[in-house]
Amino acid sequence: MALTTRRRALTTLGAALAGTVALPATSALAGEQKHGPRPLWRAHAHNDYEHPRPLLDALDHRFSSVEADIYLVGDQLLVAHDPVDLDPNRTLESLYLDPLAARVRANHGSVYRGYRKPLQLLVDIKTEGSSTYLELDRHLRRYKHLFTTYAHGRVLPGPVTAVISGDRAARTPMEAQTVRRAFYDGRLADLGTSAPASFVPLISDNWTLNFTWLGVGAFPDAERQKLRTIVRTAHSRGQRVRFWATPDLAGPARDALWAELLAAGVDHLNTDDLAGLEAFLDARQ
């Protein structure tokens, strides 16, 4: 009887120890289920639609910002870089809006599971800005609760923030709206003006028109100071900074320039090389 009792006690103790050992694994699994892969908040997919799987490749590489060029054709918004590439099957809805809406539903309200910070959808208007934007606004309104919204002086965050770039004529109808589901991509000329971050949350410009350094040799001190002043001024007003036309050929020059952008606090690093920027950022985070 004593031996049986002892065996029962040992069995109970073993089960308890086994349960204790199993807890960390269960806890880790719960954490994995709560959060998906960690997004790269400074990664911007330039001309994202030219990848084999638009949007999806960028999301697989954990990018937090993607860019789509659009043309207004009838009442359709077609995605392409040049008019010769227009395809009625490649619409903004089919490549971006519908997949984003489905992903947000699957992830219970966010593009990246467990991360509430919105993904940026930069829409570059290639046709006349005012008419194209008004059609885009009608499209965005069909996706309830998907987009960050400006309403009567307040910004209501959503899973996706649409920012309008390209043809500057889009600015006029946007400024006239008291409710809109998109924001304006400013230029360095907008830095420090009266335009608030609730209208211009992003300042973008061409790197080569503002800096001579392309990553080879030392970064001139005056240009480094200029870059940091730009970023500091934008951040003081709640605005983010992005440059396009930065070197994008893999190698030491690109890495050197990207490193300076990171050190200065530039918010979005522009690339067509998804894997290259992912590896660069992972190595530095």
Side-chain angles (χ1 to χ4, degrees), residues 101-115:
R103 185 177 174 109
V104 167
R105 284 194 300 270
N107 288 338
H108 306 292
S110 61
V111 173
Y112 287 103
R113 188 174 68 250
Y115 297 91

Side-chain angles (χ1 to χ4, degrees), residues 3-258:
L3 182 59
T4 301
T5 301
R6 185 180 174 208
R7 284 175 178 165
R8 286 176 179 167
L10 288 172
T11 300
T12 302
L13 177 61
L17 289 173
T20 302
V21 172
L23 279 175
T26 303
S27 178
L29 180 59
E32 289 175 4
Q33 291 171 344
K34 184 178 179 182
H35 290 84
R38 176 178 51 82
L40 298 172
W41 297 116
R42 300 174 81 169
H44 173 74
H46 173 252
N47 292 343
D48 176 78
Y49 50 88
E50 294 193 330
H51 293 293
R53 298 163 62 244
L55 177 67
L56 303 179
D57 286 340
L59 295 179
D60 284 350
H61 287 286
R62 299 144 51 214
F63 275 49
S64 64
S65 180
V66 297
E67 180 177 339
D69 294 358
I70 63 168
Y71 291 78
L72 177 61
V73 180
D75 62 352
Q76 294 295 305
L77 298 172
L78 304 185
V79 177
H81 192 270
D82 299 300
V84 69
D85 298 321
L86 292 174
D87 179 342
N89 294 313
R90 291 173 63 85
T91 65
L92 186 66
E93 290 99 327
S94 65
L95 296 184
Y96 291 93
L97 305 186
D98 289 341
L100 283 170
R103 185 177 174 109
V104 167
R105 284 194 300 270
N107 288 338
H108 306 292
S110 61
V111 173
Y112 287 103
R113 188 174 68 250
Y115 297 91
R116 307 303 297 184
K117 188 173 178 179
L119 177 114
Q120 176 174 265
L121 176 61
L122 188 68
V123 181
D124 192 331
I125 293 178
K126 294 298 187 182
T127 42
E128 194 280 323
S130 180
S131 57
T132 305
Y133 170 72
L134 291 173
E135 186 59 44
L136 173 62
D137 182 55
R138 285 189 283 271
H139 281 63
L140 299 183
R141 276 186 275 150
R142 299 170 188 165
Y143 294 82
K144 192 175 182 181
H145 306 311
L146 182 61
F147 291 100
T148 299
T149 300
Y150 173 87
H152 308 289
R154 296 181 58 206
V155 176
L156 309 173
V160 179
T161 298
V163 179
I164 309 305
S165 193
D167 191 274
R168 303 281 88 188
R171 182 168 188 156
T172 300
M174 292 183 72
E175 285 184 313
Q177 291 178 305
T178 55
V179 177
R180 53 180 157 75
R181 291 157 185 80
F183 300 81
Y184 190 72
D185 181 23
R187 297 290 175 261
L188 286 178
D190 295 301
L191 194 62
T193 67
S194 60
S198 59
F199 182 67
V200 183
L202 179 66
I203 299 290
S204 301
D205 223 307
N206 186 320
W207 177 265
T208 62
L209 296 181
N210 294 280
F211 299 91
T212 63
W213 187 64
L214 297 177
V216 177
F219 192 15
D221 287 341
E223 293 199 356
R224 178 183 286 114
Q225 183 58 42
K226 177 182 177 180
L227 174 63
R228 297 191 175 197
T229 298
I230 289 169
V231 173
R232 184 167 59 251
T233 302
H235 287 180
S236 71
R237 297 177 58 83
Q239 296 167 315
R240 292 172 282 110
V241 176
R242 175 183 73 98
F243 290 98
W244 74 85
T246 54
D248 207 26
L249 182 65
R254 184 179 73 176
D255 286 358
L257 197 143
W258 279 353

